[in-house]
Amino acid sequence: MSVFESKVLLKKPVSEVYAFLADMSNHGKLMPENVIGWTSDADLASFEIQNITKLSLKIHNRITNREIIIIPAEKPPFDMELKWLLAESGTDTEATFTITANLNMLMKMMASGPLQKLTENETQRLTEIFS
């Protein structure tokens, strides 16, 4: 399994950050520009990564103010899990976004850079939204 992770400290209460991330409709605001055709509701999102693939993701589990686990709603090109972990730090929130992917050697060579960039992009956009 390959793991890609990015962590940020947000100057907002954990309940506010959790409320935003617990709704899949808000995740479209975190996506890079090459994500097109975003459609979503509170639990499910479908989109296309331009010139690469179409994906459908759903929230698999929510633990209030602590964790959100997102998994593919349809068979993806490779098995993966996306996880947001939230930790209260005084009045701030530490948010960690992790993508765990089961990549074969060829996929690992092709996808590692973009997946790491995606984790960093999502946490950076989250920082911008909450600043």
Side-chain angles (χ1 to χ4, degrees):
M1 290 299 254
S2 299
V3 179
F4 309 93
E5 185 174 282
S6 182
K7 187 182 296 189
V8 291
L9 187 64
L10 307 165
K11 297 196 177 297
K12 293 291 180 181
V14 70
S15 59
E16 195 175 326
V17 178
Y18 174 81
F20 179 86
L21 292 172
D23 184 342
M24 280 301 284
S25 295
N26 291 327
H27 287 252
K29 300 171 188 167
L30 305 176
M31 292 293 153
E33 293 175 8
N34 66 334
V35 170
I36 57 173
W38 182 273
T39 58
S40 60
D41 60 27
D43 297 314
L44 180 71
S46 297
F47 56 93
E48 181 180 344
I49 302 172
Q50 203 168 17
N51 301 322
I52 298 177
T53 190
K54 290 183 181 181
L55 286 176
S56 185
L57 300 173
K58 65 180 178 182
I59 293 184
H60 175 66
N61 193 33
R62 292 178 180 95
I63 300 174
T64 304
N65 296 338
R66 289 193 26 221
E67 178 180 87
I68 298 154
I69 297 176
I70 302 165
I71 61 171
E74 299 171 356
K75 184 69 179 148
F78 48 84
D79 291 333
M80 65 179 155
E81 176 185 87
L82 294 76
K83 184 187 305 185
W84 283 97
L85 288 176
L86 304 175
E88 203 166 11
S89 178
T91 57
D92 298 341
T93 300
E94 183 178 89
T96 305
F97 181 52
T98 306
I99 299 174
T100 306
N102 187 10
L103 303 173
N104 64 34
M105 192 58 74
L106 179 60
M107 286 297 288
K108 190 171 188 171
M109 289 176 15
M110 291 173 40
S112 287
L115 287 172
Q116 182 61 45
K117 189 174 180 181
L118 177 62
T119 62
E120 293 164 3
N121 183 82
E122 289 210 19
T123 55
Q124 177 60 39
R125 294 242 176 141
L126 190 65
T127 301
E128 292 165 6
I129 288 167
F130 284 104
S131 50

